[in-house]
Amino acid sequence: MPYIAGHLNMDLSTAWAIKLTGLKDQEKFKALGWGLRTWDQWYFNDCDDRFGTDWPGRIPAQLVAHTLFYFTDPGDLVMDPMAGGGVVPDVCLLFERKCQAFDLAPIPDRPEIEPFYWTADTIIWPCTREPDLIFFDPPYFTKKKKAYQEKADPETPPISSLSRHQYIQFFARFFELAHENTRPGAILAFLNADWRDFESTPAKKESPDHAITLFDFHTLLSETGWQLTHRIECPLSSERLSGTLVQRMQDKRILGTVSRTLLIAKHI
């Protein structure tokens, strides 16, 4: 496939999409060498380099594919509010779902990702028709702040630069806006992780006032008209933590996190 894509001067994800056109979803999983998970833990150690561009916070294409398999049908419209490296539009093309993707700093060679800057005061909804599913993978608070700032225009800072209060306020507005612009039965797939100030703090001394957890997002979704239907665990690999760091955390009784959760909510 890399040879064919190079010979035809197209990217690898497009070549795979053409090759697998017309196959059923399960047949596509098999052709790509992806095992289809039938339980609520989707652990993928690595990203599949055939899909998406290298980007801070890049997510596995397999995770997106599972979301499409369980919560959409071929031909459905998927919206990606913060597309980053374009994993979601690539996988949508592969699985024959329509997609509208947006980002504050679109990659120059990804014209299908439209420029759009989200703020807590946003009143404009960029999608041209009501999406069947919104796949929302925003920055996990300040976790990748430096990397995102390097990609963005200084005039349009990413939400990872917001204060804790502003960050929560942003999501309250986004969930409200999403509910206003979707029909009953639409799905919001929200991928995020607990953020705790644990880097230098023993577990029993952590303050919840400095944390943003999935409980906060659950509350915001419920308050804006969304009903939680599934909680799917998508843990990060612990291999990213060096032995020296792990030893230091153990010595100080610091409890880190490799959790990441996909919340599935339905418009009611």
Side-chain angles (χ1 to χ4, degrees):
M1 289 302 292
Y3 170 79
I4 292 172
H7 182 69
L8 297 176
N9 194 30
M10 67 173 63
D11 59 84
L12 190 55
S13 61
T14 302
W16 272 104
I18 293 171
K19 176 180 173 64
L20 302 183
T21 297
L23 296 183
K24 295 179 180 179
D25 286 351
Q26 287 169 287
E27 294 172 327
K28 294 183 180 186
F29 272 92
K30 184 175 181 180
L32 291 163
W34 294 345
L36 182 57
R37 309 290 200 270
T38 53
W39 49 90
D40 60 359
Q41 186 186 64
W42 299 347
Y43 174 65
F44 305 103
N45 194 27
D46 297 306
C47 292
D48 191 322
D49 290 331
R50 293 174 291 184
F51 306 97
T53 303
D54 188 24
W55 198 261
R58 183 181 183 183
I59 60 174
Q62 304 96 305
L63 195 162
V64 179
H66 277 71
T67 306
L68 299 184
F69 177 78
Y70 286 108
F71 299 104
T72 67
D73 296 308
D76 280 355
L77 176 63
V78 177
M79 177 188 179
D80 184 356
M82 296 184 178
V87 174
V88 173
D90 279 354
V91 178
C92 283
L93 180 65
L94 178 74
F95 281 86
E96 300 177 59
R97 273 68 166 172
K98 299 179 178 67
C99 182
Q100 275 198 275
F102 306 89
D103 200 86
L104 64 84
I107 303 170
D109 61 353
R110 298 297 301 262
E112 76 279 19
I113 301 176
E114 304 173 50
F116 191 82
Y117 182 45
W118 298 96
T119 73
D121 299 319
T122 296
I123 58 173
I124 298 172
W125 184 251
C127 212
T128 54
R129 68 179 178 88
E130 294 177 328
D132 300 289
L133 179 137
I134 300 171
F135 190 97
F136 194 18
D137 173 38
Y140 305 162
F141 196 35
T142 60
K143 186 173 182 180
K144 294 280 185 179
K145 178 179 178 179
K146 183 177 180 181
Y148 287 124
Q149 285 178 328
E150 291 173 353
K151 297 285 187 181
D153 186 311
E155 299 299 318
T156 55
I159 65 168
S160 54
S161 300
L162 299 176
S163 68
R164 179 182 181 276
H165 173 73
Q166 292 171 326
Y167 184 81
I168 292 175
Q169 193 176 39
F170 165 80
F171 285 103
R173 177 56 185 150
F174 179 88
F175 294 152
E176 180 181 49
L177 197 62
H179 192 268
E180 292 172 357
N181 288 275
T182 52
R183 68 179 74 86
I187 299 292
L188 173 61
F190 180 71
L191 184 66
N192 215 296
D194 287 348
W195 188 92
R196 305 193 331 268
D197 187 18
F198 64 81
E199 292 186 2
S200 59
T201 308
K204 70 176 183 178
K205 293 184 179 180
E206 285 187 42
S207 170
D209 295 335
H210 300 155
I212 302 174
T213 71
L214 270 299
F215 297 109
D216 294 307
F217 294 120
H218 188 165
T219 298
L220 291 175
L221 286 164
S222 300
E223 290 175 347
T224 51
W226 297 92
Q227 183 178 55
L228 268 291
T229 61
H230 298 78
R231 190 190 70 209
I232 302 164
E233 298 305 324
C234 310
L236 297 161
S237 172
S238 60
E239 294 176 7
R240 62 196 174 92
L241 303 177
S242 68
T244 302
L245 177 59
V246 170
Q247 185 61 57
R248 187 162 64 247
M249 291 170 69
Q250 291 177 351
D251 291 343
K252 293 185 177 182
R253 304 193 183 200
I254 296 169
L255 183 63
T257 178
V258 292
S259 66
R260 179 174 57 182
T261 303
L262 182 68
L263 297 178
I264 302 296
K266 182 175 291 188
H267 177 137
I268 55 172

